Amino acid sequence: MSTTTAWGQYVHSNSVIHRLDPRTKLLSVVVFTLCCMQLRSPCGYLAAAVLAGSSIRLSRLPLRLYLSGLRPVLLFLLLPLCYHLLFNRSQGGIMTEIFNLWRILLPVAFALVLTRTTKPLDLAKGLEVMCKPLARLGIPVEAFALMAMLAVRFIPTISQELDRILMAQKARGCEIGSLRGCQRIQACLRLIIPLLATTIGRAEQLAMTIEARAYGDGRGRTSFRVLHFSRMDAAAGGIMLVYTLLILSG
């Protein structure tokens, strides 16, 4: 199994998490994120960490896959902590930033479990079924689900395209890793234009492909796979409920 997959890309396995209904996983992510927003005590943080860690373990995927996905978020979130360490060394401020960092990383890790263990088509189908009642209000649920699925699917594509641009620049003698300071920042900014150009080009090709196949707004279309809840989904829901109570009461 490759451990160099792009951020959020699906990785095949036969774990319990992989076999769960996508609606179960989507609801779990939403509930877990809302619970993490209400974390106040160490017991609550511990219960949330145990739930996230258990989900990662049950997915039977290498830990480095999740660490690589958390790295970009972690680098961004460490900036406030570094500020407090350098300019505001009060113990209260540092501990507050550590808990805030933990509160954000836990939902991100839980969401990574969702994207790593759920195929994009299944994820879109689950989102479409869950949002079906909104269709009575005139909201294009099918188009929204398709847009969400394509957005998730484009994440690894954009990452691969960025790697290709970096390799092309390296072949021309411009290696960003060897630059320092402002020169490195300027080199990174110059990557935006070719990356945007290729991404927009891919999006236009995809839109033309969808129109050529007469997809329309997706209403009334049947699906090859019919979603259904199983006993395993009921057990997962019960476990999620117990941990939700532990997190909120902790």
Side-chain angles (χ1 to χ4, degrees):
M1 180 186 302
S2 173
T3 57
T4 59
T5 52
W7 194 95
Q9 186 175 356
Y10 170 76
V11 180
H12 176 73
S13 182
N14 193 30
S15 69
V16 175
I17 305 295
H18 280 76
R19 296 196 298 269
L20 289 176
D21 190 284
R23 292 170 293 179
T24 302
K25 289 183 275 190
L26 280 168
L27 286 173
S28 298
V29 169
V30 172
V31 172
F32 184 77
T33 302
L34 293 176
C35 288
C36 286
M37 293 173 61
Q38 304 299 321
L39 287 175
R40 294 293 183 272
S41 66
C43 292
Y45 280 97
L46 179 61
V50 170
L51 178 58
S54 301
S55 301
I56 292 175
R57 178 63 178 172
L58 289 174
S59 67
R60 297 172 60 183
L61 297 177
L63 181 60
R64 69 183 66 180
L65 284 177
Y66 295 102
L67 294 179
S68 64
L70 290 174
R71 189 180 300 120
V73 181
L74 183 61
L75 292 176
F76 177 75
L77 295 177
L78 281 177
L79 294 177
L81 181 60
C82 293
Y83 170 81
H84 280 279
L85 289 174
L86 293 174
F87 303 104
N88 183 16
R89 299 185 179 182
S90 64
Q91 185 177 1
I94 295 175
M95 292 304 299
T96 299
E97 288 301 328
I98 291 176
F99 280 117
N100 289 336
L101 176 66
W102 198 241
R103 185 185 302 173
I104 297 175
L105 284 180
L106 286 175
V108 173
F110 209 72
L112 278 175
V113 176
L114 169 68
T115 56
R116 293 292 194 193
T117 61
T118 312
K119 296 179 180 179
L121 287 177
D122 293 340
L123 191 61
K125 183 62 178 177
L127 185 62
E128 177 184 340
V129 174
M130 290 175 58
C131 298
K132 204 70 174 180
L134 298 177
R136 299 180 179 178
L137 302 177
I139 299 177
V141 175
E142 293 82 1
F144 174 73
L146 177 64
M147 179 185 66
M149 185 270 293
L150 293 177
V152 173
R153 178 61 185 86
F154 255 64
I155 292 176
T157 303
I158 294 175
S159 178
Q160 293 170 2
E161 190 64 33
L162 178 60
D163 291 339
R164 189 185 67 82
I165 295 174
L166 289 173
M167 291 178 62
Q169 290 195 353
K170 185 176 181 180
R172 294 183 176 94
C174 179
E175 187 173 357
I176 296 180
S178 62
L179 302 177
R180 294 292 181 270
C182 296
Q183 292 182 347
R184 187 168 186 174
I185 295 176
Q186 291 176 359
C188 291
L189 292 177
R190 284 196 292 266
L191 295 175
I192 296 177
I193 295 178
L195 185 61
L196 282 177
T198 54
T199 302
I200 293 174
R202 288 180 180 271
E204 290 179 348
Q205 292 177 1
L206 183 60
M208 292 175 61
T209 302
I210 293 176
E211 291 180 359
R213 295 181 179 180
Y215 183 83
D217 58 3
R219 295 182 181 179
R221 289 184 174 271
T222 58
S223 176
F224 175 76
R225 180 181 176 185
V226 179
L227 302 179
H228 63 279
F229 289 105
S230 63
R231 294 181 179 179
M232 192 161 49
D233 292 289
I239 294 174
M240 189 67 200
L241 178 60
V242 171
Y243 269 99
T244 299
L245 296 176
L246 289 175
I247 292 172
L248 294 179
S249 63

